[in-house]
Amino acid sequence: MPPVQELCNAKIIFVLGGPGSGKGTQCEKIVEKYGYTHLSSGDLLRDEVQSGSELGKELQEIMERGELVSLEKVLTLLREAMLKHVASRGFLIDGYPREVDQGLRFEAEVAPVNSVIYFEVSDDTMKSRLMKRGETSGRSDDNETTIVKRLQTFHDCTEPVIEHYGKQGKVCKIVAEGTIDQIFSKVDAFLLRK
């Protein structure tokens, strides 16, 4: 399948980081300042689960086991969501790609990516943030056993993605251990240069 013609000139930024790295929070601030469209692969998947569709039921089982959803399913959800916002000033693709092949397929079948923002956070910080979020989120994947598995999956699968795009000079690494505003000032400085 060739890239989507309507999206080929879109500004597309992959937003990566482990679970609990603050991707969603920072994306909200980027949307507020720059007017980009924020698409979280996780939110798209959770929305599909909540829809109660057959696909949603299948996705719920996969996510509860802490496993990754297939590339085709995620790519389809992303493509459809982007086409709904084709006039956007830019797209923040949050939590995708999780593997190098996903990035390659996205660029081949949807559109080229301009850059990657990577939020680097220690495992201890991510675990602590997720456990705290789990107290109020109601998310079935915010429990200690699943968190450990999610962190391992992130290290095994996503770090090669960061390396791949780093070789192309497309990665902006943000150390995301400070306050929300401290972290955003680094993101803002990067976006102002783009």
Side-chain angles (χ1 to χ4, degrees), residues 14-103:
F14 287 154
V15 182
L16 300 177
S21 62
K23 298 183 302 291
T25 301
Q26 292 301 316
C27 283
E28 287 173 17
K29 294 187 76 62
I30 295 168
V31 167
E32 185 181 310
K33 180 164 184 177
Y34 292 92
Y36 289 4
T37 299
H38 174 212
L39 298 173
S40 160
S41 57
D43 288 348
L44 291 171
L45 291 166
R46 281 186 286 279
D47 289 347
E48 191 65 34
V49 167
Q50 287 183 346
S51 77
S53 69
E54 283 306 309
L55 174 59
K57 291 173 188 170
E58 181 186 336
L59 295 174
Q60 181 169 9
E61 290 174 13
I62 293 167
M63 293 191 312
E64 283 178 353
R65 292 192 302 262
E67 297 172 3
L68 296 178
V69 174
S70 80
L71 173 55
E72 285 73 22
K73 289 180 175 76
V74 176
L75 206 52
T76 298
L77 291 171
L78 282 170
R79 184 185 309 107
E80 288 173 3
M82 290 175 77
L83 286 170
K84 288 178 187 169
H85 302 280
V86 79
S88 180
R89 294 181 67 197
F91 292 95
L92 301 171
I93 310 296
D94 175 358
Y96 184 95
R98 293 180 185 252
E99 299 173 332
V100 174
D101 186 49
Q102 291 179 346

Side-chain angles (χ1 to χ4, degrees), residues 131-179:
M131 291 300 288
K132 185 170 177 145
R133 183 177 78 183
E135 294 169 9
T136 57
S137 72
R139 283 180 49 173
S140 61
D141 58 350
D142 281 345
N143 63 72
E144 191 157 3
T145 305
T146 306
I147 289 168
V148 169
K149 189 169 185 177
R150 289 169 65 203
L151 287 172
Q152 190 58 52
T153 299
F154 166 73
H155 291 302
D156 293 346
C157 299
T158 310
E159 287 178 353
V161 174
I162 296 154
E163 188 179 319
H164 170 77
Y165 285 103
K167 289 176 183 171
Q168 298 176 24
K170 292 185 177 183
V171 175
C172 172
K173 190 180 286 190
I174 306 276
V175 176
E177 295 278 354
T179 66

